[in-house]
């Protein structure tokens, strides 16, 4: 479905873009199942990280205290002139949901306390204060394992105020999981994917080409499966080719098992092929883990390989559907403002996804929304993401045939509500960062913990 907009009026639009990421790191701890073969860390630094990563170095200096980490980071960001009114809190290190419960609740509450600038009695109060605080938590990301996404664990993540969950999928193959000591199965990935999407989370997969037991052909086949099968279809990806990193089991065994990571050339070829397979609804957040050279035993050391990959794709002129390469912020050309709203519909983990995007007639992306519709006893309509790009453009818009001026966010929300209503859903749910609740209240939504909801019928 497409709508055409008239020329814009020059009026800034209140959007939910312009979010500043703030990373907090958990205290070191080993994962319950042991250690995945490629994974460093775990004793003095959190598992999966090294003591040379900037966020870990900061956390080490502050004894991994969440309050101090957030406070310190806010001060630095302020001093550097970055906006700190809208924060995306990113919880890094090991598997958060495996820490003892008391630590989990304490950790998140202390992050909110630091953003609020005052200590609350409990997590609920801290979240309430944050709804109107100066540093609002508008999104929260938790890194997790596929086998830690049970309904109970999902409820807890919602209670924390999380909006995005990233799970390690690596390559969806039970044999590779065995060889790399992942300690879970492909079925766990399928279950986690469905549970997380049903709860409204934005879902990211970490994927690792070049693992022991794989090869370039197998990697591409398995990667294809991620989008061919409706059991997977993540919203985001981090593509981390396997490297041999100091202090990992692989560093001790790679010679014995005759393991060789991909060369730079092989890696680039694979990444280009993967990019060509990614559909419109998926964004590549990162390529290559940023392990410092001194921590590398074998494998890629070119940390900015993504630039080369994207440059080569651009030069080849091949069409790429992936989100990031189409975003307004990464495109300085073809910026006409003839905006239209496109809807892409696809099956996903026993539900229907409607991916709504606002693009100009050169395909440049200005905003997107993810609407999920499920049927059955617990069926419902859930908005899993609303994201507006290009806040610096001061776009205002005037929709043809409609007298009032509308923001892009509002335009997307209205379209999503229309679709849900046509499908006879009585209400619509939004998973909302704590600090975005006010935004949705202004659009007629009410808090029905942990979601914002609006009656449609
Ligand atoms: S689950 Fe993640 S953090 Fe834990 S050992 Fe495996 S890769 Fe490392």
């Amino acid at each position: 479905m497409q709508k055409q907009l008239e020329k814009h009026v020059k009026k800034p639009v209140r959007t939910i873009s312009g979010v500043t990421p703030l990373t907090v790191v958990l205290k070191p701890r080993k994962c319950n199942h042991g250690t995945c073969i490629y994974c460093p860390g775990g004793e003095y630094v959190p598992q999966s990280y090294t003591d040379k990563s900037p966020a870990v170095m900061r956390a080490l200096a502050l004894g991994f205290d969440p309050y101090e980490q957030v406070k310190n980071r806010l001060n630095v960001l302020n001093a550097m002139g970055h906006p700190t009114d809208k924060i995306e809190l990113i919880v890094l290190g090991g598997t958060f949901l495996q820490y003892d419960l008391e630590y989990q609740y304490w950790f998140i509450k202390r992050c909110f306390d630091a953003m609020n600038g005052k200590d609350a009695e409990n997590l609920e109060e801290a979240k309430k204060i944050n709804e109107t605080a100066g540093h609002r938590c508008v999104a929260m990301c938790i890194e997790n394992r596929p086998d830690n996404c049970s309904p109970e664990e999902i409820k807890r993540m919602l209670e924390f105020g999380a909006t995005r969950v990233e799970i390690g999928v690596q390559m969806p193959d039970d044999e590779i999981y065995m060889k790399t000591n992942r300690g879970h199965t492909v079925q766990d990935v399928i279950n986690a994917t469905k549970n997380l999407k049903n709860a409204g989370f934005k879902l990211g997969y970490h994927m690792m080409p070049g693992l022991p037991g794989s090869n370039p052909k197998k990697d591409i086949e398995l990667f294809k499966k991620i989008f061919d099968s409706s059991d997977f279809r993540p919203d985001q990806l981090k593509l981390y080719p396997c490297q041999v990193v100091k202090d990992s089991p692989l560093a001790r065994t790679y010679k014995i098992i005759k393991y060789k990571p991909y060369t730079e050339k092989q890696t680039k070829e694979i990444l280009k092929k993967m990019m060509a397979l990614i559909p419109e609804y998926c964004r590549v957040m990162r390529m290559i883990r940023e392990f410092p050279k001194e921590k590398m035993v074998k494998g890629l050391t070119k940390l900015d390989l993504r630039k080369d990959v994207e440059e080569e794709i651009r030069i080849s002129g091949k069409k790429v559907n992936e989100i990031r390469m189409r975003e307004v912020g990464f495109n300085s050309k073809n910026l006409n403002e003839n905006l239209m709203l496109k809807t892409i519909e696809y099956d996903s983990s026993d539900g229907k996804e409607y991916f709504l995007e606002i693009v100009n007639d050169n395909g440049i992306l200005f905003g997107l929304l993810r609407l999920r519709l499920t049927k059955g006893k617990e069926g419902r309509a859930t908005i899993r993401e609303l994201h507006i790009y290009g806040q610096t453009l001061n776009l205002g818009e005037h929709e043809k045939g409609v007298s009032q001026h509308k923001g892009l966010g509002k335009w997307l929300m209205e379209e999503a509500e229309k679709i849900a209503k046509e499908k006879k859903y009585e209400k619509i749910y939004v998973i909302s960062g704590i600090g975005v609740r006010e935004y949705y209240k202004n659009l007629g939504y009410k808090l029905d913990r942990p979601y914002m909801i609006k009656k449609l019928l």
Side-chain angles (χ1 to χ4, degrees):
M1 180 195 176
Q2 296 199 342
K3 275 192 199 173
Q4 189 69 38
L5 274 183
E6 274 188 342
K7 194 74 193 148
H8 307 292
V9 293
K10 288 282 172 211
K11 170 175 162 260
V13 170
R14 239 183 111 224
T15 72
I16 59 163
S17 60
V19 177
T20 304
L22 193 156
T23 302
V24 275
V25 180
L26 302 166
K27 66 179 180 187
R29 178 190 174 278
K30 287 265 181 203
C31 285
N32 289 352
H33 78 290
T35 305
C36 303
I37 196 166
Y38 45 79
C39 182
E43 275 178 43
Y44 310 107
V45 292
Q47 201 135 13
S48 185
Y49 291 88
T50 74
D51 58 4
K52 293 286 179 278
S53 126
V56 174
M57 284 160 73
R58 284 194 298 267
L60 265 166
L62 298 167
F64 295 98
D65 184 294
Y67 185 93
E68 292 301 324
Q69 289 184 62
V70 172
K71 196 178 101 187
N72 186 281
R73 203 66 201 130
L74 286 174
N75 288 342
V76 172
L77 288 166
N78 269 329
M80 288 165 72
H82 289 297
T84 54
D85 53 338
K86 296 177 219 160
I87 298 292
E88 178 179 33
L89 191 74
I90 301 170
V91 181
L92 281 196
T95 305
F96 184 49
L97 276 281
Q98 289 182 359
Y99 283 69
D100 68 68
L101 273 182
E102 204 181 314
Y103 177 80
Q104 293 177 36
Y105 281 93
W106 170 80
F107 192 93
I108 299 292
K109 176 192 173 281
R110 292 303 282 158
C111 290
F112 276 112
D113 283 345
M115 283 183 275
N116 295 341
K118 62 168 138 177
D119 294 357
E121 284 291 313
N122 51 42
L123 176 61
E124 272 320 303
E125 189 188 283
K127 287 193 304 187
K128 182 81 203 144
I129 297 171
N130 192 256
E131 281 181 27
T132 50
H135 308 294
R136 287 188 209 175
C137 182
V138 298
M140 186 193 293
C141 173
I142 294 180
E143 288 190 335
N144 201 3
R145 280 175 56 89
D147 51 351
N148 282 111
C149 297
S150 67
E152 190 199 300
E153 288 165 317
I154 281 185
K155 213 171 133 212
R156 204 182 317 142
M157 288 191 272
L158 288 169
E159 203 184 333
F160 293 150
T163 51
R164 175 158 68 102
V165 178
E166 292 182 4
I167 54 173
V169 172
Q170 325 313 9
M171 278 295 156
D173 181 86
D174 284 334
E175 215 182 294
I176 295 180
Y177 286 160
M178 285 279 285
K179 284 197 171 135
T180 54
N181 193 32
R182 278 297 293 170
H184 67 78
T185 62
V186 176
Q187 192 56 49
D188 289 321
V189 175
I190 293 172
N191 296 346
T193 299
K194 183 173 168 179
N195 290 344
L196 289 166
K197 284 181 195 164
N198 282 352
F201 288 110
K202 189 159 53 150
L203 173 63
Y205 279 3
H206 291 192
M207 305 213 55
M208 288 186 106
L211 282 167
S214 199
N215 56 56
K217 191 167 167 261
K218 190 164 178 178
D219 279 343
I220 293 299
E221 270 165 23
L222 291 168
F223 189 80
K224 264 187 99 190
K225 187 165 135 188
I226 291 289
F227 295 107
D228 285 352
S229 163
S230 63
D231 283 337
F232 303 100
R233 301 190 173 161
D235 308 310
Q236 306 183 335
L237 293 174
K238 286 184 177 169
L239 301 175
Y240 291 151
C242 185
Q243 296 155 288
V244 185
V245 188
K246 253 190 192 167
D247 302 325
S248 67
L250 194 55
R252 294 188 285 279
T253 56
Y254 77 99
K255 282 186 187 151
I256 307 164
I257 63 170
K258 297 193 172 37
Y259 169 73
K260 277 200 197 114
Y262 292 157
T263 61
E264 192 177 306
K265 193 165 165 241
Q266 274 176 315
T267 309
K268 250 200 275 181
E269 283 313 304
I270 286 212
L271 291 172
K272 279 193 285 181
K273 281 186 189 157
M274 286 180 167
M275 288 294 280
L277 292 168
I278 297 172
E280 282 97 335
Y281 58 78
C282 186
R283 184 179 198 270
V284 176
M285 308 295 281
R286 274 169 196 266
M287 278 183 200
I288 320 291
R289 282 288 306 264
E290 288 177 3
F291 291 121
K293 265 194 183 136
E294 65 263 38
K295 290 285 172 188
M296 292 300 302
V297 176
K298 239 182 163 32
L300 278 178
T301 46
K302 196 169 190 328
L303 302 183
D304 61 347
L305 199 72
R306 178 175 201 156
K307 264 206 241 140
D308 297 358
V309 170
E310 291 185 346
E311 194 50 32
E312 286 180 26
I313 293 172
R314 282 202 173 98
I315 290 169
S316 75
K318 285 197 184 120
K319 190 170 179 267
V320 171
N321 294 322
E322 184 266 338
I323 289 178
R324 188 171 172 273
M325 284 190 75
R326 300 189 291 123
E327 283 169 13
V328 60
F330 291 98
N331 290 277
S332 50
K333 290 181 196 149
N334 305 325
L335 279 183
N336 74 63
E337 295 173 8
N338 296 322
L339 302 188
M340 61 194 84
L341 198 155
K342 268 176 69 183
T343 302
I344 296 161
E345 198 184 319
Y346 61 97
D347 293 331
S348 164
S349 307
D350 298 330
K352 270 261 178 264
E353 292 282 334
Y354 290 79
F355 179 73
L356 275 50
E357 57 175 18
I358 293 176
V359 289
N360 72 5
D361 46 20
N362 292 312
I364 307 296
L365 184 67
F366 288 77
L368 64 86
L369 182 148
R370 297 178 196 275
L371 169 68
R372 177 169 180 79
L373 302 184
T374 51
K375 294 258 180 249
K377 214 167 85 206
E378 294 188 355
R380 65 176 187 209
T382 312
I383 293 172
R384 300 193 297 116
E385 181 182 9
L386 171 65
H387 195 112
I388 309 301
Y389 300 97
Q391 55 163 170
T392 51
L393 290 184
N394 282 346
L395 283 170
E397 64 278 349
H398 181 204
E399 194 178 355
K400 205 172 191 173
V402 178
S403 58
Q404 87 256 43
H405 296 159
K406 289 201 259 182
L408 300 186
K410 199 171 175 199
W411 188 16
L412 287 161
M413 289 296 288
E414 283 182 1
E415 187 63 23
E417 288 165 14
K418 198 172 119 209
I419 294 170
K421 206 170 168 177
E422 278 168 11
K423 305 280 175 195
K424 306 276 183 271
Y425 285 85
E426 280 179 21
K427 43 188 175 177
I428 187 161
Y429 293 69
V430 184
I431 187 166
S432 161
I434 305 300
V436 203
R437 284 177 179 169
E438 288 294 305
Y439 175 86
Y440 291 112
K441 276 181 199 163
N442 289 335
L443 297 181
Y445 285 71
K446 286 199 178 102
L447 179 63
D448 186 357
R449 265 175 240 286
Y451 302 98
M452 298 298 290
I453 61 159
K454 187 177 187 177
K455 269 189 160 288
L456 297 176
L457 299 172

